[in-house]
Amino acid sequence: MINSTTSHHSHRDGLASVPPALPAVRADRRRLIEAIRALRRLLDKRRPFELADRRRLNQEARNRSRAEATHGKSLQRIHEQQTRQERSLSRRLSGLDGKRDHQERQALAVLRRESIQRTLNGSRLTTSEVNGIGSGLVRALAAQGITTAADFTRVSWGKAPNGKGGEVLYIHRAHGRKVHINGIGEHRGRPLMEWRRAALARAEARAPRELPPDERHRIAEIIEAERTRLQGELAQAPSTAEAARAEAAQLHAEALERLTAAEREAAHRAAERRAEFDAMAEQLLTLQAELSAHMDRHGDAGRRIRRAQTRALRPLPESVPMPAVIPAPRTPVDLTKTTRTATDMGTATDMGRATRMGMGMGMGMGTATPPTPGTRASLGWLLPILYFGFTTLVGVGELGDNTAPPALMICSRLFAFAATAELLRLWIPRRNWRTPSPMPSGTGPQAFGVFLALTAAGMFADEKSDVFLAACVTSVLAASLLVTGACLRWKVRQRPEGRTTTPFS
């Protein structure tokens, strides 16, 4: 009886140590696998999210570059307007003396014309003044409105008014109409014109030859008032331009503030989303650890579930690497704050990435400078560009009856083509209003040296003229200019640490 009881208790203890049934193990393992699958489906959205976030960062960089370019264009336009206004005002100020002389001459001419007109109006036509003109002709002239020397200007011959007979003498009135007086022909017309010329000469002799002091003083006051006004506008031009620059700077600051606010909000949402992905990744690692422990504890759960648990234990794919440097001026302080938020939520991986991104943004901020109104490369550089381009087409020493050696034909074209390409590479970006700057120091000597080198090559190829000595001198001068230009370019391009100082090199 005791043995049976003992064996019964031993049987119950053995049942307690038996592992759970296989269906329960499979159910627990399927639950873990399904949870891992669900998390993997959610984590599959991380790569598209990172790509979209990179596109967002690039778009923000483009927006900032566009804002900086717009601000630089506004500053350039204000600078050009100020320069044009100051140049125009200076030119008008320098021309005030000549304007005063011109106004004095005009006023004197008007005064003389009025004096002559008054004198001619006072010279009345009478029988005693003109020989051969009797009282009848005087009355006939008065009937046509000719009573003084100011009423007519000249006489001419023409056909008779009725079309019959020969030519008759016409008297041209001051207002343009011509009349014919019967009885006044060549013999009476000549004394009439001599009388008018004598009256005109007396009127011109009596006319004033200088302006009265009061009229001269009035013109001087007008000129001085205009001078004062122009000087005031010239003195006001810098302040007006400065006000325009301040307004442009305020608009630029407002645009940057809007961009910064939008970037901060977008970065905050991205950090929250990235923190969610990191939390899901941590949860996925935990579930994978539980699945591994479950497999170690209970072993194989069957062939059908073996493939599913293998797929569930695959490692997480690497996330999209973020760019180290954002190609535009950024705001690293705000993004650092979002990085700290992500770090507080347990994102150790994203903290390193965000820190590198913030360092890259800081580098972008350190190297990028806001655009300022600069001096663009001169249009005069088109002359050597066109010359070298023409030389690329026609070569050296091939015009007229000359025939250059094949080696010279090929080398001269290649040399001219290289010079054209280099000048275009340097000149085109510096003409752009977004990146205005003068040509690098040393480009002029280099271009002139290439010109002299091509000229010397043509002189050497010319066998019909004895210019060997001049060609040698030209070659030496060309080599000196090329070396000088190269040294100047090298000095400008090198910083103390060996990096370039110009945006184009």
mmCIF file of all heavy atoms in Angstrom, residues 197-230:
data_model
loop_
_atom_site.group_PDB
_atom_site.id
_atom_site.type_symbol
_atom_site.label_atom_id
_atom_site.label_comp_id
_atom_site.label_asym_id
_atom_site.label_seq_id
_atom_site.Cartn_x
_atom_site.Cartn_y
_atom_site.Cartn_z
ATOM 1 N N ARG A 197 15.961 145.916 -96.037
ATOM 2 C CA ARG A 197 17.265 145.475 -95.549
ATOM 3 C C ARG A 197 17.944 146.569 -94.719
ATOM 4 O O ARG A 197 18.586 146.278 -93.709
ATOM 5 C CB ARG A 197 18.154 145.058 -96.722
ATOM 6 C CG ARG A 197 17.827 143.672 -97.252
ATOM 7 C CD ARG A 197 18.926 143.183 -98.171
ATOM 8 N NE ARG A 197 18.955 143.932 -99.425
ATOM 9 C CZ ARG A 197 18.299 143.587 -100.528
ATOM 10 N NH1 ARG A 197 17.553 142.488 -100.516
ATOM 11 N NH2 ARG A 197 18.385 144.317 -101.634
ATOM 12 N N ALA A 198 17.782 147.788 -95.120
ATOM 13 C CA ALA A 198 18.353 148.882 -94.337
ATOM 14 C C ALA A 198 17.663 148.993 -92.991
ATOM 15 O O ALA A 198 18.309 149.215 -91.945
ATOM 16 C CB ALA A 198 18.232 150.190 -95.103
ATOM 17 N N ALA A 199 16.332 148.828 -92.971
ATOM 18 C CA ALA A 199 15.608 148.873 -91.696
ATOM 19 C C ALA A 199 16.016 147.716 -90.802
ATOM 20 O O ALA A 199 16.167 147.863 -89.573
ATOM 21 C CB ALA A 199 14.096 148.848 -91.952
ATOM 22 N N LEU A 200 16.224 146.529 -91.393
ATOM 23 C CA LEU A 200 16.647 145.373 -90.606
ATOM 24 C C LEU A 200 18.046 145.574 -90.053
ATOM 25 O O LEU A 200 18.323 145.199 -88.892
ATOM 26 C CB LEU A 200 16.588 144.114 -91.480
ATOM 27 C CG LEU A 200 16.978 142.801 -90.805
ATOM 28 C CD1 LEU A 200 16.067 142.497 -89.627
ATOM 29 C CD2 LEU A 200 16.946 141.647 -91.812
ATOM 30 N N ALA A 201 18.921 146.180 -90.835
ATOM 31 C CA ALA A 201 20.271 146.429 -90.338
ATOM 32 C C ALA A 201 20.262 147.417 -89.189
ATOM 33 O O ALA A 201 20.990 147.250 -88.192
ATOM 34 C CB ALA A 201 21.148 146.939 -91.480
ATOM 35 N N ARG A 202 19.455 148.474 -89.303
ATOM 36 C CA ARG A 202 19.363 149.434 -88.194
ATOM 37 C C ARG A 202 18.779 148.761 -86.947
ATOM 38 O O ARG A 202 19.232 149.008 -85.820
ATOM 39 C CB ARG A 202 18.492 150.616 -88.607
ATOM 40 C CG ARG A 202 19.125 151.530 -89.635
ATOM 41 C CD ARG A 202 18.341 152.828 -89.765
ATOM 42 N NE ARG A 202 16.959 152.579 -90.130
ATOM 43 C CZ ARG A 202 16.503 152.529 -91.381
ATOM 44 N NH1 ARG A 202 17.356 152.675 -92.402
ATOM 45 N NH2 ARG A 202 15.226 152.333 -91.641
ATOM 46 N N ALA A 203 17.792 147.864 -87.138
ATOM 47 C CA ALA A 203 17.191 147.179 -85.982
ATOM 48 C C ALA A 203 18.199 146.256 -85.307
ATOM 49 O O ALA A 203 18.280 146.188 -84.075
ATOM 50 C CB ALA A 203 15.959 146.392 -86.429
ATOM 51 N N GLU A 204 18.988 145.525 -86.086
ATOM 52 C CA GLU A 204 20.003 144.636 -85.495
ATOM 53 C C GLU A 204 21.098 145.428 -84.805
ATOM 54 O O GLU A 204 21.639 144.996 -83.781
ATOM 55 C CB GLU A 204 20.606 143.754 -86.590
ATOM 56 C CG GLU A 204 19.637 142.706 -87.127
ATOM 57 C CD GLU A 204 20.265 141.883 -88.223
ATOM 58 O OE1 GLU A 204 21.377 142.254 -88.668
ATOM 59 O OE2 GLU A 204 19.660 140.872 -88.639
ATOM 60 N N ALA A 205 21.419 146.604 -85.340
ATOM 61 C CA ALA A 205 22.433 147.426 -84.676
ATOM 62 C C ALA A 205 21.933 147.971 -83.356
ATOM 63 O O ALA A 205 22.705 148.146 -82.403
ATOM 64 C CB ALA A 205 22.861 148.558 -85.605
ATOM 65 N N ARG A 206 20.655 148.267 -83.265
ATOM 66 C CA ARG A 206 20.093 148.823 -82.031
ATOM 67 C C ARG A 206 19.762 147.733 -81.008
ATOM 68 O O ARG A 206 19.548 148.044 -79.824
ATOM 69 C CB ARG A 206 18.829 149.613 -82.359
ATOM 70 C CG ARG A 206 19.083 150.856 -83.201
ATOM 71 C CD ARG A 206 17.781 151.497 -83.575
ATOM 72 N NE ARG A 206 17.990 152.655 -84.458
ATOM 73 C CZ ARG A 206 17.000 153.365 -85.011
ATOM 74 N NH1 ARG A 206 15.739 153.005 -84.778
ATOM 75 N NH2 ARG A 206 17.281 154.382 -85.799
ATOM 76 N N ALA A 207 19.667 146.500 -81.451
ATOM 77 C CA ALA A 207 19.285 145.423 -80.521
ATOM 78 C C ALA A 207 20.377 145.220 -79.470
ATOM 79 O O ALA A 207 21.562 145.383 -79.749
ATOM 80 C CB ALA A 207 19.062 144.123 -81.286
ATOM 81 N N PRO A 208 19.976 144.857 -78.224
ATOM 82 C CA PRO A 208 20.971 144.661 -77.155
ATOM 83 C C PRO A 208 21.867 143.463 -77.453
ATOM 84 O O PRO A 208 21.425 142.454 -78.007
ATOM 85 C CB PRO A 208 20.106 144.424 -75.920
ATOM 86 C CG PRO A 208 18.792 143.963 -76.437
ATOM 87 C CD PRO A 208 18.582 144.634 -77.760
ATOM 88 N N ARG A 209 23.130 143.587 -77.086
ATOM 89 C CA ARG A 209 24.093 142.510 -77.288
ATOM 90 C C ARG A 209 24.464 141.782 -75.999
ATOM 91 O O ARG A 209 25.216 140.815 -76.028
ATOM 92 C CB ARG A 209 25.360 143.075 -77.937
ATOM 93 C CG ARG A 209 25.091 143.684 -79.306
ATOM 94 C CD ARG A 209 26.368 144.114 -79.993
ATOM 95 N NE ARG A 209 26.086 144.665 -81.300
ATOM 96 C CZ ARG A 209 25.892 143.952 -82.410
ATOM 97 N NH1 ARG A 209 25.959 142.629 -82.345
ATOM 98 N NH2 ARG A 209 25.649 144.544 -83.571
ATOM 99 N N GLU A 210 23.967 142.237 -74.900
ATOM 100 C CA GLU A 210 24.187 141.565 -73.615
ATOM 101 C C GLU A 210 22.883 141.545 -72.845
ATOM 102 O O GLU A 210 22.007 142.399 -73.041
ATOM 103 C CB GLU A 210 25.264 142.294 -72.793
ATOM 104 C CG GLU A 210 26.659 142.226 -73.393
ATOM 105 C CD GLU A 210 27.679 142.910 -72.499
ATOM 106 O OE1 GLU A 210 27.236 143.465 -71.453
ATOM 107 O OE2 GLU A 210 28.868 142.892 -72.831
ATOM 108 N N LEU A 211 22.780 140.539 -71.959
ATOM 109 C CA LEU A 211 21.587 140.445 -71.126
ATOM 110 C C LEU A 211 21.622 141.515 -70.047
ATOM 111 O O LEU A 211 22.694 141.850 -69.523
ATOM 112 C CB LEU A 211 21.501 139.064 -70.481
ATOM 113 C CG LEU A 211 20.990 137.910 -71.359
ATOM 114 C CD1 LEU A 211 21.041 136.616 -70.548
ATOM 115 C CD2 LEU A 211 19.566 138.166 -71.832
ATOM 116 N N PRO A 212 20.475 142.022 -69.669
ATOM 117 C CA PRO A 212 20.427 142.934 -68.526
ATOM 118 C C PRO A 212 20.851 142.203 -67.249
ATOM 119 O O PRO A 212 20.722 140.976 -67.139
ATOM 120 C CB PRO A 212 18.955 143.362 -68.475
ATOM 121 C CG PRO A 212 18.414 143.069 -69.836
ATOM 122 C CD PRO A 212 19.173 141.899 -70.341
ATOM 123 N N PRO A 213 21.367 142.926 -66.276
ATOM 124 C CA PRO A 213 21.802 142.267 -65.029
ATOM 125 C C PRO A 213 20.689 141.511 -64.317
ATOM 126 O O PRO A 213 20.931 140.439 -63.740
ATOM 127 C CB PRO A 213 22.330 143.429 -64.184
ATOM 128 C CG PRO A 213 22.702 144.481 -65.182
ATOM 129 C CD PRO A 213 21.722 144.354 -66.299
ATOM 130 N N ASP A 214 19.471 142.048 -64.325
ATOM 131 C CA ASP A 214 18.389 141.352 -63.636
ATOM 132 C C ASP A 214 18.052 140.031 -64.315
ATOM 133 O O ASP A 214 17.769 139.021 -63.643
ATOM 134 C CB ASP A 214 17.153 142.251 -63.566
ATOM 135 C CG ASP A 214 16.729 142.725 -64.955
ATOM 136 O OD1 ASP A 214 17.546 142.562 -65.886
ATOM 137 O OD2 ASP A 214 15.608 143.232 -65.098
ATOM 138 N N GLU A 215 18.080 139.986 -65.666
ATOM 139 C CA GLU A 215 17.819 138.731 -66.360
ATOM 140 C C GLU A 215 18.934 137.722 -66.102
ATOM 141 O O GLU A 215 18.683 136.519 -65.892
ATOM 142 C CB GLU A 215 17.697 138.997 -67.863
ATOM 143 C CG GLU A 215 17.313 137.778 -68.683
ATOM 144 C CD GLU A 215 15.894 137.299 -68.396
ATOM 145 O OE1 GLU A 215 15.111 138.068 -67.807
ATOM 146 O OE2 GLU A 215 15.596 136.137 -68.756
ATOM 147 N N ARG A 216 20.180 138.189 -66.108
ATOM 148 C CA ARG A 216 21.302 137.296 -65.804
ATOM 149 C C ARG A 216 21.210 136.763 -64.381
ATOM 150 O O ARG A 216 21.487 135.578 -64.118
ATOM 151 C CB ARG A 216 22.615 138.054 -66.012
ATOM 152 C CG ARG A 216 23.861 137.179 -66.006
ATOM 153 C CD ARG A 216 25.109 138.048 -66.125
ATOM 154 N NE ARG A 216 25.106 138.789 -67.357
ATOM 155 C CZ ARG A 216 25.593 138.325 -68.493
ATOM 156 N NH1 ARG A 216 26.102 137.102 -68.535
ATOM 157 N NH2 ARG A 216 25.582 139.063 -69.595
ATOM 158 N N HIS A 217 20.817 137.625 -63.445
ATOM 159 C CA HIS A 217 20.668 137.200 -62.058
ATOM 160 C C HIS A 217 19.540 136.169 -61.923
ATOM 161 O O HIS A 217 19.659 135.201 -61.157
ATOM 162 C CB HIS A 217 20.393 138.417 -61.184
ATOM 163 C CG HIS A 217 20.238 138.081 -59.724
ATOM 164 N ND1 HIS A 217 21.277 137.621 -58.956
ATOM 165 C CD2 HIS A 217 19.139 138.118 -58.910
ATOM 166 C CE1 HIS A 217 20.847 137.382 -57.727
ATOM 167 N NE2 HIS A 217 19.548 137.690 -57.678
ATOM 168 N N ARG A 218 18.454 136.357 -62.682
ATOM 169 C CA ARG A 218 17.338 135.395 -62.623
ATOM 170 C C ARG A 218 17.783 134.023 -63.118
ATOM 171 O O ARG A 218 17.472 132.972 -62.502
ATOM 172 C CB ARG A 218 16.178 135.915 -63.464
ATOM 173 C CG ARG A 218 14.922 135.053 -63.405
ATOM 174 C CD ARG A 218 13.866 135.593 -64.354
ATOM 175 N NE ARG A 218 14.299 135.435 -65.736
ATOM 176 C CZ ARG A 218 14.167 134.300 -66.429
ATOM 177 N NH1 ARG A 218 13.630 133.226 -65.853
ATOM 178 N NH2 ARG A 218 14.569 134.235 -67.674
ATOM 179 N N ILE A 219 18.537 133.982 -64.228
ATOM 180 C CA ILE A 219 19.018 132.695 -64.748
ATOM 181 C C ILE A 219 19.997 132.048 -63.761
ATOM 182 O O ILE A 219 19.973 130.827 -63.545
ATOM 183 C CB ILE A 219 19.670 132.914 -66.126
ATOM 184 C CG1 ILE A 219 18.613 133.366 -67.141
ATOM 185 C CG2 ILE A 219 20.360 131.650 -66.604
ATOM 186 C CD1 ILE A 219 19.184 133.719 -68.500
ATOM 187 N N ALA A 220 20.867 132.866 -63.148
ATOM 188 C CA ALA A 220 21.813 132.319 -62.170
ATOM 189 C C ALA A 220 21.079 131.715 -60.973
ATOM 190 O O ALA A 220 21.475 130.669 -60.445
ATOM 191 C CB ALA A 220 22.778 133.413 -61.709
ATOM 192 N N GLU A 221 20.000 132.378 -60.530
ATOM 193 C CA GLU A 221 19.212 131.828 -59.414
ATOM 194 C C GLU A 221 18.573 130.499 -59.797
ATOM 195 O O GLU A 221 18.538 129.552 -58.988
ATOM 196 C CB GLU A 221 18.145 132.829 -59.004
ATOM 197 C CG GLU A 221 18.686 134.040 -58.245
ATOM 198 C CD GLU A 221 17.563 134.969 -57.819
ATOM 199 O OE1 GLU A 221 16.425 134.794 -58.319
ATOM 200 O OE2 GLU A 221 17.821 135.846 -56.974
ATOM 201 N N ILE A 222 18.073 130.398 -61.030
ATOM 202 C CA ILE A 222 17.474 129.132 -61.472
ATOM 203 C C ILE A 222 18.526 128.020 -61.491
ATOM 204 O O ILE A 222 18.278 126.892 -61.025
ATOM 205 C CB ILE A 222 16.838 129.322 -62.866
ATOM 206 C CG1 ILE A 222 15.642 130.283 -62.775
ATOM 207 C CG2 ILE A 222 16.395 127.989 -63.433
ATOM 208 C CD1 ILE A 222 15.047 130.629 -64.121
ATOM 209 N N ILE A 223 19.711 128.334 -62.014
ATOM 210 C CA ILE A 223 20.772 127.322 -62.092
ATOM 211 C C ILE A 223 21.224 126.906 -60.692
ATOM 212 O O ILE A 223 21.452 125.717 -60.409
ATOM 213 C CB ILE A 223 21.944 127.852 -62.922
ATOM 214 C CG1 ILE A 223 21.514 128.073 -64.370
ATOM 215 C CG2 ILE A 223 23.121 126.896 -62.873
ATOM 216 C CD1 ILE A 223 21.048 126.823 -65.079
ATOM 217 N N GLU A 224 21.367 127.881 -59.779
ATOM 218 C CA GLU A 224 21.795 127.552 -58.419
ATOM 219 C C GLU A 224 20.754 126.718 -57.695
ATOM 220 O O GLU A 224 21.085 125.810 -56.918
ATOM 221 C CB GLU A 224 22.096 128.837 -57.642
ATOM 222 C CG GLU A 224 23.368 129.545 -58.087
ATOM 223 C CD GLU A 224 24.583 128.649 -57.943
ATOM 224 O OE1 GLU A 224 24.640 127.876 -56.958
ATOM 225 O OE2 GLU A 224 25.477 128.715 -58.804
ATOM 226 N N ALA A 225 19.455 127.030 -57.937
ATOM 227 C CA ALA A 225 18.400 126.221 -57.318
ATOM 228 C C ALA A 225 18.460 124.779 -57.830
ATOM 229 O O ALA A 225 18.319 123.822 -57.052
ATOM 230 C CB ALA A 225 17.038 126.841 -57.614
ATOM 231 N N GLU A 226 18.681 124.634 -59.134
ATOM 232 C CA GLU A 226 18.788 123.282 -59.677
ATOM 233 C C GLU A 226 20.047 122.591 -59.156
ATOM 234 O O GLU A 226 20.038 121.388 -58.880
ATOM 235 C CB GLU A 226 18.815 123.338 -61.200
ATOM 236 C CG GLU A 226 18.762 121.969 -61.855
ATOM 237 C CD GLU A 226 18.593 122.054 -63.353
ATOM 238 O OE1 GLU A 226 18.531 123.195 -63.878
ATOM 239 O OE2 GLU A 226 18.532 120.989 -63.994
ATOM 240 N N ARG A 227 21.156 123.341 -59.005
ATOM 241 C CA ARG A 227 22.381 122.758 -58.457
ATOM 242 C C ARG A 227 22.153 122.259 -57.034
ATOM 243 O O ARG A 227 22.597 121.179 -56.653
ATOM 244 C CB ARG A 227 23.506 123.785 -58.495
ATOM 245 C CG ARG A 227 24.883 123.207 -58.132
ATOM 246 C CD ARG A 227 25.909 124.323 -57.970
ATOM 247 N NE ARG A 227 25.980 125.151 -59.162
ATOM 248 C CZ ARG A 227 26.721 124.856 -60.219
ATOM 249 N NH1 ARG A 227 27.446 123.749 -60.231
ATOM 250 N NH2 ARG A 227 26.751 125.673 -61.266
ATOM 251 N N THR A 228 21.460 123.078 -56.220
ATOM 252 C CA THR A 228 21.180 122.672 -54.839
ATOM 253 C C THR A 228 20.317 121.411 -54.807
ATOM 254 O O THR A 228 20.547 120.488 -54.012
ATOM 255 C CB THR A 228 20.480 123.815 -54.099
ATOM 256 O OG1 THR A 228 21.311 124.984 -54.151
ATOM 257 C CG2 THR A 228 20.233 123.435 -52.655
ATOM 258 N N ARG A 229 19.325 121.367 -55.704
ATOM 259 C CA ARG A 229 18.455 120.185 -55.749
ATOM 260 C C ARG A 229 19.228 118.940 -56.159
ATOM 261 O O ARG A 229 19.070 117.868 -55.546
ATOM 262 C CB ARG A 229 17.306 120.431 -56.722
ATOM 263 C CG ARG A 229 16.309 119.283 -56.838
ATOM 264 C CD ARG A 229 15.212 119.616 -57.824
ATOM 265 N NE ARG A 229 15.747 119.832 -59.157
ATOM 266 C CZ ARG A 229 16.037 118.855 -60.013
ATOM 267 N NH1 ARG A 229 15.858 117.584 -59.650
ATOM 268 N NH2 ARG A 229 16.506 119.119 -61.208
ATOM 269 N N LEU A 230 20.054 119.058 -57.175
ATOM 270 C CA LEU A 230 20.829 117.901 -57.626
ATOM 271 C C LEU A 230 21.842 117.453 -56.581
ATOM 272 O O LEU A 230 22.055 116.244 -56.384
ATOM 273 C CB LEU A 230 21.539 118.238 -58.936
ATOM 274 C CG LEU A 230 20.654 118.459 -60.163
ATOM 275 C CD1 LEU A 230 21.489 118.839 -61.370
ATOM 276 C CD2 LEU A 230 19.826 117.226 -60.467
#
